[in-house]
Amino acid sequence: MSLIVQKFGGSSVANADRIKNVASRVARYYEEGHSLVVVVSALGDTTDELVDLSGQITKNPSRREMDMLLSTGEQISVALLAMALHELKCGAISFTGAQVGIRTDSSFTKARIVDISTDRIRKELKANKVVIVAGFQGTSSDHEITTLGRGGSDLTAVALAKALDADACEIYTDVEGIYTTDPRLVKDARKIARISYEEMLELASSGAQVMQSRSIEVAGKFDIPIHVRSSFSLNQGTWIVKEDKSMEDVLIRGVSLSKNEAKLTLSGVPNRPGVAAKIFKTLADAGINVDMIIQNIGKSTDTDISFTVPRSDAESAVQALKKIAHETGFKGISQDPNIAKVSVVGIGMRSHTGVAAAMFEILAKHKINIEMISTSEIKISCVVKKKDAEKAVKALHDGFKLSGKK
Ligand code: ADP
Ligand code: ASP
Ligand code: MG
């Protein structure tokens, strides 16, 4: 019989009935004789609610205390799921990340897993228990509680599948798999049967929240196939796997949308060597990830530089840059939170030309102005006005003929 890691997301355990539903699914596998390690997220929107609550206390919470707070959500769900399994006469035991030895570095709120000691899990599996592990959390070497970044239960599941050399890693969520775009946004989005790690990583890191991007990085690195499927049906979902030849035949695999970025513009930036280096080094030192960058060619000695950062970091970016305004000599700084990024992704782009042109034409046809552009080997992203975001996704999904409509 096989060892299966199953992860159930927040919506799958949003209330008591849903927890019971998850328990009966887990119990069915248990009765078939499989060994099960079950990772769960916090109930429903608990994590968002905790973030909101902290925001009512302070605009600038300590990241250590934030992890102390957010890690509580998952501790509730593991205990409730264990109780639901006990009701079904199924042996089960719940653990926090610390208890099962999920060791991370100490970067609070976005910690990286450095090691998982599997002794305790293996011992309980041997004793015929379903092992339930709190997702999204671990502890650093100095015994501090850390979290793995939003959506981090996916990473807990993939890392456990690797550490335990599991036979399967299943991610259960509230949709039937990975779709050509967010099925809540575009009704005729199509379920994808198989997608490569690389494409999934690009989709995830450009806004498709269905999988956390770091979990895909780890899965790709160790070649761990992931089955993403619904916790409300028995249907096959989507397999995230190593790329194969046939995948290149599809030009565009999917369209993603991110509304979580802001555009910052520095005006009157002196046009001399070292200034851009200083600006972006300052942001890097503040732990702020910069995505797209545009530098206008100025006719004079000054230029403008625009770039995007996660919206939650925009204010810290402004504060950090104000401190070097004098030294670098830029004249103004402004931020625009009303932007969105739409991206098209597909490994077929490597061998086909003209995708960028087609994307720009589709957006133009729908009178959507492009503010910034960036490309990678298998992705093209455009920044547009936030009010145009959904229209842009639908237009691209239609224009690249991704819909399930025949
Ligand atoms: P969970 O609580 O199970 O972790 P998430 O809310 O993190 O679930 O992710 C599932 C959601 O991701 C779906 O409800 C869907 O709206 C959204 N989503 C965005 N892009 C996609 C996509 N390409 N395919 C499937 N779902 C997507
Ligand atoms: N509960 C955490 C979050 O909402 C982790 C997860 O759901 O994967 O980000
Ligand atoms: Mg998630």
Side-chain angles (χ1 to χ4, degrees), residues 289-309:
N289 259 326
V290 175
D291 183 17
M292 294 186 183
I293 304 174
I294 285 187
Q295 173 165 338
N296 296 331
I297 310 285
K299 286 207 182 69
S300 65
T301 51
D302 285 355
T303 182
D304 289 350
I305 299 180
S306 293
F307 53 91
T308 59
V309 296

Side-chain angles (χ1 to χ4, degrees), residues 273-287:
V275 174
K278 178 73 194 169
I279 290 167
F280 291 104
K281 170 89 169 47
T282 302
L283 294 169
D285 289 346

Side-chain angles (χ1 to χ4, degrees), residues 151-220:
S153 301
D154 296 334
L155 178 59
T156 306
V158 172
L160 282 171
K162 159 73 182 137
L164 294 161
D165 196 18
D167 299 292
C169 180
E170 300 184 323
I171 304 285
Y172 287 90
T173 184
D174 59 353
V175 287
E176 296 250 332
I178 311 295
Y179 283 68
T180 45
T181 192
D182 187 340
R184 296 189 195 286
L185 215 64
V186 178
K187 286 286 162 270
D188 56 11
R190 192 172 38 80
K191 185 166 80 181
I192 300 167
R194 284 154 54 82
I195 184 169
S196 68
Y197 295 119
E198 232 185 308
E199 288 168 320
M200 191 64 235
L201 180 59
E202 290 281 21
L203 284 173
S205 55
S206 59
Q209 92 190 63
V210 59
M211 287 298 297
Q212 190 219 27
S213 52
R214 294 246 309 278
S215 71
I216 303 299
E217 263 168 30
V218 174

Side-chain angles (χ1 to χ4, degrees), residues 29-297:
Y29 279 88
Y30 178 78
E31 277 149 24
E32 283 170 12
H34 299 291
S35 294
L36 291 163
V37 174
V38 180
V39 175
V40 268
S41 298
L43 271 61
D45 295 328
T46 303
T47 311
D48 286 335
E49 286 159 14
L50 292 172
V51 172
D52 278 1
L53 198 54
S54 71
Q56 293 173 40
I57 308 264
T58 167
K59 290 284 160 270
N60 192 19
S62 133
R63 288 177 42 205
R64 177 189 185 278
E65 301 310 331
M66 208 59 196
D67 278 359
M68 189 63 98
L69 177 69
L70 297 191
S71 61
T72 60
E74 272 68 13
Q75 198 169 334
I76 295 172
S77 19
V78 287
L80 292 173
L81 181 58
M83 291 176 196
L85 282 163
H86 295 163
E87 279 296 301
L88 299 175
K89 306 282 172 274
C90 178
I93 182 163
S94 68
F95 292 110
T96 62
Q99 284 177 300
V100 289
I102 299 181
R103 292 271 164 272
T104 70
D105 63 16
S106 46
S107 29
F108 294 114
T109 74
K110 45 185 161 196
R112 288 184 170 268
I113 296 178
V114 290
D115 181 48
I116 301 183
S117 96
T118 53
D119 302 354
R120 185 75 199 265
I121 297 180
R122 288 191 196 280
K123 188 171 145 229
E124 299 297 343
L125 289 174
K126 239 190 187 140
N128 229 1
K129 298 259 177 64
V130 172
V131 176
I132 306 169
V133 180
F136 174 57
Q137 56 176 261
T139 42
S140 64
S141 55
D142 42 4
H143 310 291
E144 299 282 22
I145 294 176
T146 53
T147 66
L148 310 176
R150 295 304 305 269
S153 301
D154 296 334
L155 178 59
T156 306
V158 172
L160 282 171
K162 159 73 182 137
L164 294 161
D165 196 18
D167 299 292
C169 180
E170 300 184 323
I171 304 285
Y172 287 90
T173 184
D174 59 353
V175 287
E176 296 250 332
I178 311 295
Y179 283 68
T180 45
T181 192
D182 187 340
R184 296 189 195 286
L185 215 64
V186 178
K187 286 286 162 270
D188 56 11
R190 192 172 38 80
K191 185 166 80 181
I192 300 167
R194 284 154 54 82
I195 184 169
S196 68
Y197 295 119
E198 232 185 308
E199 288 168 320
M200 191 64 235
L201 180 59
E202 290 281 21
L203 284 173
S205 55
S206 59
Q209 92 190 63
V210 59
M211 287 298 297
Q212 190 219 27
S213 52
R214 294 246 309 278
S215 71
I216 303 299
E217 263 168 30
V218 174
K221 183 167 168 198
F222 298 108
D223 194 10
I224 300 163
I226 300 176
H227 189 188
V228 181
R229 55 195 305 199
S230 166
S231 55
F232 307 109
S233 85
L234 295 172
N235 298 340
Q236 276 280 313
T238 300
W239 283 90
I240 307 174
V241 290
K242 198 148 101 189
E243 170 182 341
D244 65 43
K245 260 268 151 269
S246 70
M247 290 179 176
E248 280 192 19
D249 298 343
V250 177
L251 184 58
I252 303 296
R253 185 78 55 196
V255 180
S256 56
L257 169 64
S258 166
K259 286 179 169 177
N260 296 326
E261 286 164 54
K263 183 171 82 168
L264 301 193
T265 301
L266 296 177
S267 54
V269 183
N271 208 355
R272 60 178 152 75
V275 174
K278 178 73 194 169
I279 290 167
F280 291 104
K281 170 89 169 47
T282 302
L283 294 169
D285 289 346
I288 295 166
N289 259 326
V290 175
D291 183 17
M292 294 186 183
I293 304 174
I294 285 187
Q295 173 165 338
N296 296 331
I297 310 285

